[in-house]
């Protein structure tokens, strides 16, 4: 274990790296890429979703969400889920741990941080801890220290072992300690956390996506998982008549919508890193290729392509809206705020006349604040079935 008391927010990735040098880990996978190739090949796209999804042309890959929902709804205390571990942490240390998580969330994720400020204290602390774990995981593969750490399967395997430790109450540093405590307070499942690490594995070897199915899988791994991690913290309204599956699906869609938006916002930046997340077959349908993405020229063809991409990203936010109304009363406002603010990045791309090759779309603070009352009024809505019960 490393010394954690000197960590500063900007050292998050270094802190992650400092504990991954021990040589004794077991290798779970022969290599990062073979693991992911296997996943892509064996998780057959399975259209088990509603007519609405079919009409939208959205493939719903079998992402084993049912497995998570089933455990979440059961009272099986033997399972890793719902284990009430009691980390031996004193109040002051824990307060400091959460405070460090808060600082990082405030510094790196203004939109999410705004959302968390609208939550109850317990929930907001839990989301800060989850945020920091997600951010550190992402930093391992594309943060400033990623090259220095030569991110490879070893680093990610070690990070996954460390995750397993966190879930049994063993923390390596202060950030882990906050998450360990969160796990003792909320019925979090380790699965989406593991899946996010798989997504980062994927990002280390894959820089092109042939079609939307491939991209969707990546988006699930790195972002849909965040939705699944968040539901147990946000809570489902006790009067909701919706199935847990419906609500988890909606949370997953919010993650997908966020990530598609992220990808559309960052096309130019990602291209500079040699990455094109846009589906190759869809680029070709619009007479475009990687070369157009790299050229930085915003043509009419590019605009038309972007319009279609934006429409699809919005459709995921729309699907998420349905589930947001079934969350616990106290969680609806923050979730609606995050949804509206993140979705409005798409409006900004339109405002920029679809120039996401040279400009980064940005939602100003004023606009964000204006969305608070709109989100508040949306959050007052409860599905009609609840009013009857
Ligand atoms: C029923 C219902 C609607 C429930 C709500 C569920 C819910 C709260 C869903 C939230 C979904 C969400 C916030 C997804 C985040 C997706 C995201 C931005 C993923 C990013 C991936 C990698 O992308 P990239 O490398 O291209 O990005 P950068 O340029 O590096 O930024 C991630 C970076 C993966 C890691 C994710 C995070 C760090 C964000 C985690 C956020 C939270 C835990 C906060 C959620 C809180 C609120 C208030 C919504
Ligand atoms: Mn990233």
């Amino acid at each position: 274990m490393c010394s954690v008391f000197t960590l500063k927010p900007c050292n998050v990735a270094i802190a992650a790296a400092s504990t991954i040098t021990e040589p004794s880990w077991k290798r779970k996978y022969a290599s990062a890429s073979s693991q992911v190739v296997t996943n892509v090949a064996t998780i057959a796209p399975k259209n088990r979703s509603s007519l609405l999804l079919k009409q939208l042309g959205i493939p719903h890959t079998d992402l084993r969400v049912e497995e998570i929902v089933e455990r979440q709804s059961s009272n099986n205390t033997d399972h890793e889920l719902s284990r009430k571990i009691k980390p031996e942490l004193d109040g002051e240390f824990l307060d400091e741990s959460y405070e460090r998580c808060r600082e990082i969330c405030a510094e790196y994720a203004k939109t999410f941080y705004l959302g968390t400020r609208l939550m109850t204290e317990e929930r907001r602390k839990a989301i800060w801890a989850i945020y920091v774990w997600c951010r550190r995981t992402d930093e391992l593969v594309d943060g400033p220290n990623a090259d220095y750490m030569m991110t490879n399967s070893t680093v990610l395997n070690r990070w996954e072992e460390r995750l397993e430790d966190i879930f049994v109450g063993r923390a390596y540093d202060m950030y882990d300690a906050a998450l360990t405590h969160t796990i003792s307070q909320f019925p979090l499942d380790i699965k989406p956390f593991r899946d996010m690490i798989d997504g980062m594995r994927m990002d280390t070897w894959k820089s092109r996506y042939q079609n939307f199915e491939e991209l969707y899988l990546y988006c699930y791994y790195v972002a849909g998982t965040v939705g699944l991690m968040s539901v147990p913290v946000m809570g489902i309204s006790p009067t909701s008549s919706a199935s847990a599956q419906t609500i988890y699906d909606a949370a997953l869609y919010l993650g997908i919508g966020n990530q598609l938006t992220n990808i559309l916002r960052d096309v130019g930046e990602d291209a500079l890193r040699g990455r094109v997340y846009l589906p190759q077959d869809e680029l070709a349908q619009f007479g475009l290729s990687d070369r157009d993405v790299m050229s930085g020229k915003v043509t009419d063809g590019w605009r038309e392509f972007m319009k279609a991409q934006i429409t699809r990203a919005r459709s995921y936010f729309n699907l998420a809206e349905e589930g947001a109304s079934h969350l616990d009363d106290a969680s609806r406002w923050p979730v609606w705020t995050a949804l509206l603010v993140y979705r409005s990045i798409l409006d900004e791309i339109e405002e920029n006349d679809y120039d996401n090759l040279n400009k980064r779309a940005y939602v100003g603070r004023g606009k964000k604040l204006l969305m608070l009352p709109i989100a508040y009024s949306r959050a007052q809505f409860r599905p009609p079935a609840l009013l009857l019960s």
Side-chain angles (χ1 to χ4, degrees):
M1 293 193 199
C2 70
S3 163
V4 294
F5 296 97
T6 54
L7 293 177
K8 291 279 185 314
C10 59
N11 286 338
V12 180
I14 296 168
S18 67
T19 57
I20 52 184
T21 47
E22 59 183 88
S24 60
W25 55 81
K26 284 180 287 181
R27 281 177 188 241
K28 276 193 178 160
Y29 311 112
S31 74
S33 59
S34 66
Q35 165 65 10
V36 177
V37 169
T38 311
N39 278 344
V40 172
T42 57
I43 301 176
K46 195 169 115 188
N47 202 344
R48 58 172 173 69
S49 20
S50 66
L51 185 62
L52 176 63
L53 280 178
K54 281 189 193 146
Q55 283 165 348
L56 288 168
I58 297 169
H60 188 128
T61 313
D62 177 8
L63 299 167
R64 295 160 294 168
V65 179
E66 282 137 348
E67 194 185 318
I68 295 168
V69 172
E70 204 174 290
R71 289 203 295 267
Q72 202 79 350
S73 323
S74 79
N75 291 323
N76 182 359
T77 46
D78 290 341
H79 196 269
E80 49 205 356
L81 172 77
S82 300
R83 182 180 24 229
K84 289 283 172 201
I85 42 169
K86 290 273 172 249
E88 307 283 318
L89 301 170
D90 68 49
E92 218 174 286
F93 178 85
L94 210 50
D95 287 349
E96 179 64 17
S97 299
Y98 279 117
E99 174 57 17
R100 298 273 184 98
C101 293
R102 187 197 66 75
E103 284 169 5
I104 292 175
C105 189
E107 172 144 1
Y108 292 94
K110 304 268 180 295
T111 298
F112 296 141
Y113 185 64
L114 176 65
T116 63
R117 286 179 57 183
L118 308 172
M119 291 175 190
T120 62
E121 194 187 345
E122 288 311 305
R123 285 185 175 133
R124 96 165 59 107
K125 280 161 60 180
I127 292 293
W128 293 335
I130 294 172
Y131 173 82
V132 167
W133 184 88
C134 292
R135 175 51 62 203
R136 295 174 91 181
T137 306
D138 181 63
E139 295 275 305
L140 286 177
V141 296
D142 70 3
N145 296 303
D147 288 343
Y148 157 77
M149 290 190 295
M150 293 179 295
T151 304
N152 54 32
S153 57
T154 305
V155 171
L156 290 167
N157 289 352
R158 177 64 195 114
W159 188 244
E160 187 167 354
E161 287 192 353
R162 181 166 158 165
L163 171 72
E164 308 281 340
D165 283 344
I166 293 172
F167 266 78
V168 291
R170 275 200 300 273
Y172 280 71
D173 63 22
M174 289 186 90
Y175 306 106
D176 288 357
L179 184 56
T180 301
H181 181 258
T182 289
I183 290 162
S184 75
Q185 302 299 304
F186 295 93
L188 293 179
D189 190 336
I190 194 171
K191 186 94 185 71
F193 291 83
R194 285 194 192 122
D195 282 353
M196 180 178 281
I197 296 176
D198 270 348
M200 300 308 164
R201 286 193 175 95
M202 195 167 182
D203 209 26
T204 62
W205 65 270
K206 192 169 169 66
S207 61
R208 295 293 182 281
Y209 293 81
Q210 288 315 313
N211 50 44
F212 184 64
E213 259 299 84
E214 285 187 18
L215 180 62
Y216 184 87
L217 189 60
Y218 171 70
C219 290
Y220 161 70
Y221 278 136
V222 301
T225 48
V226 180
L228 303 184
M229 293 169 195
S230 304
V231 175
V233 174
M234 302 298 176
I236 295 175
S237 168
T239 53
S240 169
S241 57
S243 67
Q245 180 73 54
T246 306
I247 296 166
Y248 273 80
D249 279 351
L252 191 156
Y253 294 140
L254 183 52
I256 302 272
N258 279 352
Q259 186 60 13
L260 290 175
T261 302
N262 235 0
I263 286 170
L264 298 180
R265 182 194 60 191
D266 296 344
V267 175
E269 277 174 37
D270 288 335
L272 291 176
R273 298 191 307 130
R275 294 183 182 284
V276 178
Y277 291 98
L278 304 164
Q280 294 288 320
D281 62 346
E282 294 178 11
L283 280 167
Q285 279 162 25
F286 283 80
L288 300 164
S289 69
D290 275 8
R291 202 182 294 178
D292 297 287
V293 177
M294 306 292 172
S295 76
K297 283 201 194 106
V298 181
T299 60
D300 284 346
W302 179 257
R303 289 188 186 92
E304 290 310 309
F305 170 75
M306 279 305 301
K307 284 178 194 169
Q309 298 295 318
I310 288 174
T311 300
R312 177 159 59 207
R314 284 195 176 121
S315 70
Y316 281 99
F317 286 110
N318 296 345
L319 289 171
E321 286 190 4
E322 292 173 24
S325 313
H326 293 274
L327 292 174
D328 190 77
D329 285 5
S331 295
R332 289 203 295 272
W333 188 21
V335 168
W336 269 105
T337 302
L339 189 156
L340 294 180
V341 173
Y342 227 86
R343 181 164 61 189
S344 69
I345 294 173
L346 298 171
D347 305 342
E348 296 299 321
I349 297 174
E350 289 171 340
E351 289 280 305
N352 289 344
D353 198 20
Y354 305 97
D355 184 1
N356 50 356
L357 298 173
N358 308 290
K359 288 182 192 163
R360 190 180 217 253
Y362 171 76
V363 183
R365 195 174 156 73
K367 275 192 187 165
K368 281 185 190 171
L369 294 179
L370 279 176
M371 280 178 229
L372 285 174
I374 302 172
Y376 183 79
S377 76
R378 298 276 180 97
Q380 304 316 304
F381 174 76
R382 285 171 177 220
L386 303 184
L387 297 175
L388 295 174
S389 61

